[in-house]
Each structure stands twice: as C-alpha cells, then as structure tokens.
Amino acid sequence: MGKKRIILVLMSILIVIGGCTMNKKDEATKEEKKNDNAEIVSVQDYTGEGFHGEYNQTTDRIVKRNYEELELIANEYMQENFKTDVEITSYIPLENIAVVLFKTKKEPVIHSSFYVMVDHKDRSLIHQFNAHEGEVEQSIVSGLYHYAYEEEFNKFNEKIEELKDKYPVVSLTEEAHEKTYISMYREKNYYISMSSLSVPSVLDFYKETNEVISKEEVRTMFELIESSEEISKGIVIRLYMKEAGTHSDKKLLNNLIDDMSKFSFLLKGSYTINLMSNDVLKKSGHGVENEDLSIIFENKEEK
C-alpha cells in the first residue's frame, strides 16, 4: 500500500507539472499569435505605423532634437547633385537609423527618401546622406514621366476609381500613402517603376536645370527617346480586398483585368494589377496574400 501511495503521489505531481507546462505553452502560443497579429492590420486601419520596422523612441527624440541638421543633410546632397532644394515631409525612427521622406520644392515636385545613421550614445546624427543605389534617380525620372503625361495618367486613375466603385476593392488610405511614399512616382492607386539608366538624357537635363521645368520640355524628351527605342518601365495598379479578413481573389482579379483591358490607354509600358488581401503587413504595407496579373489593352494605340 505504501508503494501504491507513493506512485499515486508521484503521478499527481507529474500531472500538476504537466498541466503547468501545458498552460505555459498555451500562454506562449497565445503570446506568439498576439505578436503576429500586432504586425498585421486591416488596410482600412493601416496608417503607415510600423512601416520599415519597429518605432524607436530614442531615435525619434534624437531626430527631433537635430531636425535642422536633418534638413541640412538633405539639402546639401540634393543641391550638389540635382540643384534643387527639398523639404522633409516625414521620417521613420528605427533602431539606430531614421528613414527620411522628402519632396523637392521646385516643379515638378519629386518625392523620394534617404536614411541617416543615429548615434544613441552621443545623441546625434551621422552627417551623411545614404540611399539605395539609383533610388533617388528612379524617383526623379518616374516623377518626370508622370509630369509629362499627367493628363493621360489622370484618365488612367479615373478608370481605376471606376473599378473601385464597381468591385469590392480599395486602395491605401491617404495617411498610409503619405507615410509609405519612399521612392518612385506613386499615387494611392498605382506606381511607376522606371530606371534612370534607360533615360540618362532626361536625368542629365534635370540635374542641369535650375528653373521650373515645363511639361512640354520633358514630354518632348521622352517622345524623342521612344521614337528610336522603348523605355523600360512598369505601371503597377495596387488594390486591396475591401471586406475585413478576405484573401486576395483570383476570380475577382481576372474580372479587374478584363475590365481594365477595355480601357484605351496610349502609353507604352508593362501594366500589372496587384490585388492584395485586406490584411496587410505593417512593415511593408503589402497584403498578407497577393495575386497579380498583367494587363493587355485591347484598344491600344501606343505613343
């Protein structure tokens, strides 16, 4: 009987320990799910918070304290390389680094970004303009392309708005769009990807011009280039599922493609619709799930 009692006691202890272990595992699993969910949000609720990474309060305080130097870093670089002044539109304070969004003061307005290293020990900024290779240049030429063909792109955007009225899809909120606009020409509904290497004369013209650039000047330059060779560029329509929790829908994407293909668009390029889930990743602004297909315009008289 003594042995049986000992065995029963030991079994009871093991059950209690096992129960505690399971409870801890359950709590850990719940915490992991909570952390995962914290990184995901419905597109309608996405404000751009968490874009590029986790907010760092120390970096934020240092940048605010040295804001004039931040503006100086941006303007020194842009004046030296592109003869233009810029203003900071916002910044993203991360650990030991700040991603800085800016726009040019002269027309056409070009949006782009750079980053600065932040010294937490000295509570200062490292006085150096850093950017991914070609990123600022890409922002300039894609912005100039949109500027030159603004009327055509306005009609293009109107067509996308019609799709949003007809189908259960939405775009980023204005706030999220502004806070995640780091490179290339972007609207809420689409963006233009174009390498400066394909239009070096346009970039050189921008670098050498101090005055306001007219649409006619830029358009003439693009038309001259495309009369002899095709400029490599992509226009991507970016839409999200409207209903909360819905995944990207291939059938809906096909309907969007069919509808969009009937639109008469005159500009050469590769066109794609990227349809994303309603849930987005805060770090990138992309959907948790994505589907994309190319658009072939049926009535296309290319320029």
Side-chain angles (χ1 to χ4, degrees), residues 39-56:
E39 299 304 315
I40 297 171
V41 65
S42 170
V43 67
Q44 286 94 336
D45 297 326
Y46 182 52
T47 62
E49 179 187 351
F51 185 65
H52 260 338
E54 188 176 343
Y55 166 82
N56 188 281

Side-chain angles (χ1 to χ4, degrees), residues 45-94:
D45 297 326
Y46 182 52
T47 62
E49 179 187 351
F51 185 65
H52 260 338
E54 188 176 343
Y55 166 82
N56 188 281
Q57 188 177 54
T58 303
T59 296
D60 194 5
R61 287 174 177 170
I62 294 170
V63 171
K64 284 178 180 175
R65 179 181 172 184
N66 297 277
Y67 197 79
E68 288 185 4
E69 184 179 2
L70 193 68
E71 292 179 316
L72 183 62
I73 293 170
N75 278 288
E76 281 179 350
Y77 180 86
M78 293 301 290
Q79 267 293 343
E80 181 181 348
N81 292 277
F82 303 105
K83 296 182 180 178
T84 183
D85 291 322
V86 301
E87 63 178 274
I88 307 299
T89 56
S90 65
Y91 63 88
I92 306 167
L94 308 174

Side-chain angles (χ1 to χ4, degrees), residues 187-248:
E187 293 282 352
K188 286 197 306 179
N189 292 332
Y190 67 91
Y191 62 87
I192 303 171
S193 175
M194 179 188 297
S195 171
S196 62
L197 298 176
S198 63
V199 285
S201 59
V202 174
L203 184 63
D204 289 341
F205 173 73
Y206 184 84
K207 287 180 178 181
E208 295 164 4
T209 306
N210 285 318
E211 301 174 357
V212 173
I213 300 170
S214 72
K215 291 182 181 181
E216 291 72 22
E217 286 178 294
V218 184
R219 185 166 182 136
T220 299
M221 295 187 73
F222 278 116
E223 288 176 348
L224 182 61
I225 295 170
E226 292 205 292
S227 66
S228 58
E229 60 182 294
E230 186 171 343
I231 299 172
S232 176
K233 58 183 176 292
I235 292 87
V236 179
I237 298 172
R238 188 167 69 163
L239 298 171
Y240 300 80
M241 299 297 292
K242 186 175 185 177
E243 292 184 22
T246 51
H247 303 293
S248 51

Side-chain angles (χ1 to χ4, degrees), residues 21-190:
T21 303
M22 288 300 293
N23 286 337
K24 286 180 180 178
K25 285 182 178 179
D26 288 343
E27 289 299 320
T29 301
K30 287 178 182 177
E31 189 62 30
E32 286 176 6
K33 287 182 178 179
K34 182 180 177 182
N35 290 336
D36 288 343
N37 290 336
E39 299 304 315
I40 297 171
V41 65
S42 170
V43 67
Q44 286 94 336
D45 297 326
Y46 182 52
T47 62
E49 179 187 351
F51 185 65
H52 260 338
E54 188 176 343
Y55 166 82
N56 188 281
Q57 188 177 54
T58 303
T59 296
D60 194 5
R61 287 174 177 170
I62 294 170
V63 171
K64 284 178 180 175
R65 179 181 172 184
N66 297 277
Y67 197 79
E68 288 185 4
E69 184 179 2
L70 193 68
E71 292 179 316
L72 183 62
I73 293 170
N75 278 288
E76 281 179 350
Y77 180 86
M78 293 301 290
Q79 267 293 343
E80 181 181 348
N81 292 277
F82 303 105
K83 296 182 180 178
T84 183
D85 291 322
V86 301
E87 63 178 274
I88 307 299
T89 56
S90 65
Y91 63 88
I92 306 167
L94 308 174
E95 186 176 0
N96 300 316
I97 192 172
V99 180
V100 186
L101 285 66
F102 67 87
K103 65 179 180 180
T104 59
K105 290 184 178 180
K106 78 175 183 181
E107 290 288 341
V109 175
I110 304 294
H111 291 256
S112 195
S113 65
F114 68 101
Y115 63 92
V116 291
M117 304 304 296
V118 180
D119 189 329
H120 282 201
K121 185 178 179 180
D122 292 337
R123 304 187 69 78
S124 62
L125 306 180
I126 308 301
H127 196 96
Q128 182 176 343
F129 184 104
N130 303 284
H132 296 296
E133 186 177 358
E135 190 167 80
V136 174
E137 289 81 358
Q138 184 183 44
S139 297
I140 290 170
V141 295
S142 61
L144 288 173
Y145 186 76
H146 182 273
Y147 180 63
Y149 296 98
E150 187 172 13
E151 185 177 339
E152 287 86 346
F153 277 110
N154 285 343
K155 292 177 182 177
F156 182 66
N157 196 57
E158 286 172 7
K159 176 60 180 177
I160 301 172
E161 288 295 330
E162 288 177 12
L163 294 182
K164 288 163 63 178
D165 290 336
K166 184 176 180 180
Y167 298 102
V169 293
V170 295
S171 56
L172 284 177
T173 64
E174 189 63 41
E175 182 179 9
H177 170 66
E178 290 294 330
K179 289 183 179 178
T180 60
Y181 192 162
I182 60 171
S183 66
M184 298 181 285
Y185 182 85
R186 294 173 184 264
E187 293 282 352
K188 286 197 306 179
N189 292 332
Y190 67 91

Side-chain angles (χ1 to χ4, degrees), residues 40-43 240-241 244-246 276-281 286-289:
I40 297 171
V41 65
S42 170
V43 67
Y240 300 80
M241 299 297 292
T246 51
M276 300 186 236
S277 58
N278 181 266
D279 287 333
V280 302
L281 299 167
H286 294 160
V288 174
E289 292 183 350

